[in-house]
Amino acid sequence: MELNTHSVLLCVHVRLDPEQTGFIAVENFTSLAQQHELQLDPTKLDMLLALVQSDQHGHVCYQELIELLSSKRSSSFRRAIANGRRTLQREILLDETGLGVYKRFVRYVAYEILPCETDRRWYFHQNRLCPPPVFMAIITIVQIVVFMCYGVRLNKWVLQTYQPEFMKSPLVYHPGHRTQVWRFLSYMFMHVGLEQLGFNALLQLMIGVPLEMVHGILRISLLYMAGVVAGSLTVSITDMRAPVVGGSGGVYALCSAHLANVVMNWAGMKCPYKLLRMVLALVCMSSEVGRAVWLRFSPPLPSSGPQPSFMAHLSGAVVGISMGLLILRSYEESLHKQCSWWVLVFSFITFLLFAIFWNIFAYELLDVQIPPPP
């Protein structure tokens, strides 16, 4: 049975660093572990040896040992991984046997999302399903419930935007109602029809849930919401007469970030059939954009006003490739410590401020003829 962290640290402090130098020789630590006097998780022991091998004196800092046993990866350990100065003592994670259904799913997620074997094993052994990936599940459920309510109310399940009552919803973004700022975000709960909802829900669950399991609710919710807000603001600048519905901005932010991460780490990604899956994802995403363009400029039925814009798809993809790629490449690292993160944050804030001023002044200065609000 594994000792608790306090007992382990007390034993290490007394026996391995009696002179209180702050450093521990790896030979002493390994000897104690092999004698079963110090029982450690084998994964943590491998991580410790990887950290020690990056030190030219074969020592490990006492504080770094505390962080490791407390399930925190020190900056020195991350540098050791980045520089490739370590070896893995055990077989690769894919060879682990006797796993339950949940652990097999966690292993699948690790190989789907993470390009480094050490990161996969760290995530696999630290995963506790707490907190669960609730963000993408809640967003998808709310979108389905809203769609079902409008479907029953309007008795229409495809091309709902052709129904005037649908466009009167307080959730739809319409340029005539742009002073109601919540619409720049709430439009993600409305969808053109069953086909758009199905496409978005499928991608959110297939890609968003694994991403949230690995990178956490804060990072993935930030990425998704940034794509949604960027989508509506981009439409208000580039397609000023068009409304917006659907969560495609957020969905494309997730998808483009994941695909870009796979491309950037192609050799390390071990997900099965990655080339085929990437081609299918690109085909599906391109088809959805093409369909949106067709509905925008060549609607199949006469309508009272312009159809929803497709620019939210493209702006979501830009957000995913820029901000999302940095988020996914920074697993277990603090974003606020990276200069590139602050550059992206500054760029996004600059875009938000520009879009706000554009929505306040540009419509009148350019004398844009906005279709009357429904």
Side-chain angles (χ1 to χ4, degrees), residues 348-367:
F348 192 77
I349 293 177
T350 301
F351 168 73
L352 291 180
L353 294 176
F354 171 78
I356 291 174
F357 280 99
W358 181 276
N359 279 273
I360 294 176
F361 301 109
Y363 281 78
E364 294 184 3
L365 292 177
L366 299 177
D367 194 23

Side-chain angles (χ1 to χ4, degrees), residues 172-352:
V172 173
Y173 168 81
H174 190 282
H177 290 307
R178 65 186 184 280
T179 56
Q180 300 174 357
V181 294
W182 71 83
R183 292 175 178 260
F184 286 91
L185 188 64
S186 64
Y187 78 93
M188 69 179 180
F189 297 115
M190 306 292 289
H191 288 82
V192 171
L194 185 61
E195 64 284 357
Q196 186 190 30
L197 173 67
F199 177 82
N200 286 347
L202 181 63
L203 287 181
Q204 285 176 180
L205 295 178
M206 289 184 60
I207 296 179
V209 170
L211 287 176
E212 186 178 347
M213 288 180 63
V214 173
H215 297 282
I217 184 173
L218 292 178
R219 293 190 179 197
I220 298 307
S221 61
L222 173 63
L223 177 59
Y224 187 89
M225 291 302 181
V228 170
V229 173
S232 56
L233 291 176
T234 301
V235 171
S236 70
I237 295 173
T238 61
D239 200 358
M240 300 170 66
R241 302 182 69 251
V244 190
V245 295
S248 298
V251 172
Y252 274 62
L254 296 177
C255 293
S256 60
H258 178 58
L259 294 179
N261 189 45
V262 172
V263 172
M264 293 289 292
N265 301 280
W266 187 262
M269 301 301 294
K270 301 300 181 183
C271 47
Y273 308 108
K274 56 184 177 182
L275 180 59
L276 176 61
R277 295 165 63 184
M278 174 169 288
V279 171
L280 290 177
L282 291 175
V283 169
C284 292
M285 293 171 66
S286 300
S287 300
E288 175 64 14
V289 173
R291 176 182 174 277
V293 173
W294 171 64
L295 290 177
R296 174 67 180 89
F297 295 109
S298 301
L301 298 174
S303 58
S304 58
Q307 289 299 295
S309 176
F310 60 90
M311 291 302 298
H313 300 71
L314 304 182
S315 60
V318 172
V319 168
I321 294 175
S322 56
M323 180 184 297
L325 184 57
L326 178 61
I327 290 177
L328 301 192
R329 292 182 63 187
S330 301
Y331 172 68
E332 282 288 317
E333 295 185 32
S334 298
L335 292 173
H336 69 272
K337 296 181 180 179
Q338 303 182 49
C339 179
S340 54
W341 169 252
W342 289 110
V343 171
L344 286 175
V345 170
F346 176 77
S347 301
F348 192 77
I349 293 177
T350 301
F351 168 73
L352 291 180

Side-chain angles (χ1 to χ4, degrees), residues 9 28 56 112 119-120 152 193 202 215 227 235 305 331 351 353:
L9 295 177
N28 297 338
Q56 60 180 350
E112 179 74 16
D119 283 345
R120 296 185 194 114
V152 172
L202 181 63
H215 297 282
V235 171
Y331 172 68
F351 168 73
L353 294 176

Side-chain angles (χ1 to χ4, degrees), residues 111-178:
Y111 274 92
E112 179 74 16
I113 303 300
L114 297 171
C116 175
E117 183 67 23
T118 306
D119 283 345
R120 296 185 194 114
R121 287 174 51 199
W122 179 270
Y123 165 75
F124 177 82
H125 290 284
Q126 295 300 320
N127 180 270
R128 297 293 183 271
L129 195 59
C130 184
V134 296
F135 174 76
M136 294 312 310
I138 291 175
I139 290 294
T140 304
I141 291 173
V142 173
Q143 289 174 340
I144 293 175
V145 170
V146 171
F147 179 81
M148 295 292 291
C149 290
Y150 277 93
V152 172
R153 176 182 172 184
L154 304 176
N155 192 27
K156 192 176 182 63
W157 303 95
V158 295
L159 297 178
Q160 290 186 346
T161 52
Y162 289 89
Q163 171 60 257
E165 292 297 320
F166 178 88
M167 298 304 294
K168 291 181 180 180
S169 169
L171 301 179
V172 173
Y173 168 81
H174 190 282
H177 290 307
R178 65 186 184 280

Side-chain angles (χ1 to χ4, degrees), residues 38-49:
L38 181 62
Q39 299 181 22
L40 277 179
D41 183 337
T43 300
K44 289 186 177 181
L45 181 58
D46 287 351
M47 299 295 179
L48 175 67
L49 295 177

